């Protein structure tokens, strides 16, 4: 059973699908060939530009009930410095129980496992309730979440009662995540010659003062049941050219991780307050501009809320010690939460090198992880909402 999963995962790793670099056609075709050979219904999903961004597998059951979804990405991070790898990034081989190659951990092994579970559900679909969707997302690592967006926008797809995302990590079921608010800030100044006798404060210097104000801003701590505090990071700074010109523009990138008690509105208010203070302390020729770029809400499922409850219970029944976790980074679960769809965003095999050098996934964990997801899905499709 797990041999079939590993063989498909190997085939996927050997078809590079780096976000924004590789053509996704080969990896999607490998999945389509596997699904077609097992008579599983699938179709491609496309973005507004007609580009394929996902495969959607849909297994309808014989009795009425809610649909549930499994989600795994089949695009990957780039390789980085290939010379630093101790094996080819697209080798897809198995050494000492480790599946090696980019995407082994995030998340081609999970995609292969979810395809297998779809096949298992189809074999007994007549006796089950509702249906199972498997979303194989080819636009996750871009940050655009194109596959998930296409799924949610597809009027032919049944809206799921909950989603389980197959990110790796055996000790935790991720049941929530901080949100985010991101913006670019344009800081202005009067241009001139750097050797001029006229005193001037360039845009880079003004931006540096703004960075200081942002770094000194007080953020609240963790409040209530949400276990993480908000966090502000200045992620980029671009301005000036050469040495003889006082720069008239410097752009900053700002990333704020939000919480239920410090949301996107509070994040934007903090940044606008800092820019207003800058413009008062060091006036420029025009006000500092803020351009919001992205915003996701934070979310956290209760441990007795589905599908978290069923997944945690199945892990316990399998003899695993697993805790519920709220993640610092955002993920597709935040997008789903904004649409009112509860999601878990991580439980899988142990791993190394995710997004880094020598990525690999520990196959000795696969039988138990597969059993947990299979048991979870079958209980949800049997009971409609499995008890905790």
């Amino acid at each position: 059973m797990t041999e079939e999963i590993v063989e498909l995962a190997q085939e996927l790793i050997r078809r590079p699908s780096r976000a924004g670099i590789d053509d996704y056609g080969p990896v999607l075709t490998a999945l389509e060939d596997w699904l077609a050979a097992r008579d599983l219904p699938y179709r491609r999903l496309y973005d507004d530009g007609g580009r394929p961004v996902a495969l959607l597998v849909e297994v309808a059951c014989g009795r009425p009930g809610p649909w549930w979804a499994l989600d795994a990405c089949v695009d990957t991070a780039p390789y980085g410095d290939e010379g630093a790898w101790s094996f080819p990034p697209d080798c897809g081989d198995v050494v000492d129980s480790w599946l090696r190659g980019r995407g082994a951990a995030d998340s081609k092994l999970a995609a292969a496992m979810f395809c297998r579970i779809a096949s298992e559900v189809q074999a007994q679909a007549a006796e089950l309730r509702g249906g199972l969707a498997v979303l194989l997302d080819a636009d996750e690592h871009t940050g655009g979440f194109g596959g998930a967006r296409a799924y949610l926008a597809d009027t032919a797809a049944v809206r799921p009662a909950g989603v389980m995302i197959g990110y790796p990590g055996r000790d935790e079921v991720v049941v929530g995540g901080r949100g985010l608010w991101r913006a670019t800030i344009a800081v202005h100044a009067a241009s001139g010659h750097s050797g001029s006798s006229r005193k001037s404060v360039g845009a880079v210097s003004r931006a540096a003062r703004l960075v200081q104000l942002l770094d000194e801003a007080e953020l609240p701590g963790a409040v209530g049941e949400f276990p993480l505090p908000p966090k502000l990071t200045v992620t980029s700074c671009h301005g000036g050219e050469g040495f003889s010109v006082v720069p008239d523009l410097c752009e900053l990138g700002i990333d704020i991780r939000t919480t239920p008690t410090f949301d996107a509105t509070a994040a934007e208010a903090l940044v606008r307050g800092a820019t207003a203070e800058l413009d008062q302390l060091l006036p420029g020729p025009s006000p500092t501009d803020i351009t919001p770029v992205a915003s996701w809400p934070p979310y956290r499922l209760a441990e007795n809320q589905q599908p978290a409850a069923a997944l945690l219970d199945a892990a316990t029944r399998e003899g695993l010690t697993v805790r519920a976790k709220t993640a610092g980074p955002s993920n597709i679960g935040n997008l789903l939460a904004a649409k009112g769809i509860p999601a878990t965003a991580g439980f899988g095999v142990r791993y190394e090198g995710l997004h880094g050098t020598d990525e690999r996934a520990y196959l000795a964990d696969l039988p138990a992880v597969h059993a947990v997801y299979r048991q979870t899905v079958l209980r949800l499709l049997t009971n409609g909402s499995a008890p905790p």
Side-chain angles (χ1 to χ4, degrees), residues 190-196 198 200 244-247:
S191 184
H193 197 294
S194 60
S196 170
R198 180 175 61 87
S200 59
S244 63
V245 176
V246 176

Side-chain angles (χ1 to χ4, degrees), residues 17-24 51 75-76 78 138-139 141-142:
S17 52
R18 293 165 292 177
I21 298 174
D22 297 311
D23 177 9
Y24 301 142
R51 184 176 62 98
D75 67 334
T76 73
D139 189 50
H141 283 83
T142 62

Side-chain angles (χ1 to χ4, degrees), residues 15-386:
R15 301 193 182 201
S17 52
R18 293 165 292 177
I21 298 174
D22 297 311
D23 177 9
Y24 301 142
V27 75
L28 294 178
T29 297
L31 289 162
E32 289 169 332
D33 290 346
W34 192 97
L35 295 166
R38 290 153 183 81
D39 295 323
L40 282 162
Y42 67 88
R43 53 195 171 92
R44 290 194 181 192
L45 302 181
Y46 299 86
D47 63 14
D48 292 339
R51 184 176 62 98
V53 290
L55 283 183
L56 181 63
V57 185
E58 296 169 301
V59 180
C61 297
R63 303 169 65 188
W67 280 61
W68 304 88
L70 299 171
D71 176 7
C73 58
V74 295
D75 67 334
T76 73
Y79 295 154
D81 180 5
E82 294 186 46
W85 287 63
S86 63
F87 49 82
D90 61 353
C91 65
D93 61 7
V94 177
V95 176
D96 296 330
S97 295
W98 289 92
L99 173 64
R100 308 193 307 175
R102 177 63 83 222
D106 186 15
S107 295
K108 291 181 175 180
L109 182 61
M113 178 179 64
F114 288 167
C115 286
R116 171 66 194 184
I117 290 173
S119 179
E120 293 165 345
V121 168
Q122 181 172 253
Q124 49 186 304
E127 306 159 8
L128 300 174
R129 299 179 180 274
L132 175 68
V134 176
L135 180 67
L136 304 167
D137 192 342
D139 189 50
E140 192 263 12
H141 283 83
T142 62
F145 298 161
R149 291 180 183 278
Y151 174 40
L152 294 175
D154 191 328
T155 57
V158 179
R159 186 182 181 88
V163 177
M164 289 170 279
I165 304 167
Y167 296 133
R170 202 190 69 168
D171 298 328
E172 299 161 339
V173 171
V174 175
V175 299
R178 286 189 294 201
L180 61 80
W181 182 83
R182 290 173 175 165
T184 59
I185 302 177
V187 181
H188 306 281
S191 184
H193 197 294
S194 60
S196 170
S197 60
R198 180 175 61 87
K199 184 177 181 180
S200 59
V201 179
V204 172
S205 296
R206 294 191 73 234
R209 184 70 177 97
L210 178 57
V211 170
Q212 183 181 17
L213 292 172
L214 291 170
D215 285 344
E216 293 173 350
E218 292 189 10
L219 298 175
V223 178
E225 296 182 358
F226 199 87
L228 297 173
K231 181 182 180 182
L232 185 154
T233 306
V234 179
T235 57
S236 65
C237 180
H238 304 286
E241 185 176 2
F243 295 94
S244 63
V245 176
V246 176
D248 59 1
L249 175 65
C250 185
E251 293 185 324
L252 301 176
I254 307 297
D255 178 286
I256 300 180
R257 300 297 163 142
T258 60
T259 68
T261 56
F262 189 85
D263 60 10
T265 300
E268 184 169 354
L270 182 150
V271 172
R272 292 196 180 279
T275 59
E277 184 175 354
L278 172 73
D279 290 342
Q280 182 176 16
L281 292 171
L282 296 173
S286 58
T288 302
D289 298 322
I290 300 171
T291 303
V293 173
S295 179
W296 302 108
Y299 83 103
R300 178 176 170 84
L301 307 186
E303 292 183 28
N304 62 353
Q305 186 176 356
Q306 300 298 8
L311 190 57
L312 287 163
D313 181 62
T316 299
R317 289 172 180 266
E318 194 61 30
L320 303 177
T321 300
V322 178
R323 69 182 183 93
K325 176 187 177 180
T326 299
S330 302
N331 53 65
I332 292 178
N334 295 80
L335 170 64
L336 295 167
K339 303 295 184 180
I341 300 172
T344 60
F347 170 71
V349 302
R350 284 171 284 187
Y351 62 92
E352 293 180 355
L354 187 147
H355 284 207
T357 303
D358 286 353
E359 181 177 346
R360 59 183 189 162
Y362 192 48
L363 293 178
D365 291 340
L366 181 58
V369 171
H370 176 220
V372 168
Y373 274 108
R374 182 181 65 241
Q375 180 186 142
T376 299
V377 168
L378 291 176
R379 291 185 70 200
L380 288 169
L381 295 176
T382 298
N383 301 321
S385 180

Side-chain angles (χ1 to χ4, degrees), residues 4-25:
E4 184 180 33
I5 297 171
V6 174
E7 288 174 0
L8 176 57
Q10 289 178 293
E11 182 65 23
L12 300 179
I13 293 168
R14 290 166 183 160
R15 301 193 182 201
S17 52
R18 293 165 292 177
I21 298 174
D22 297 311
D23 177 9
Y24 301 142

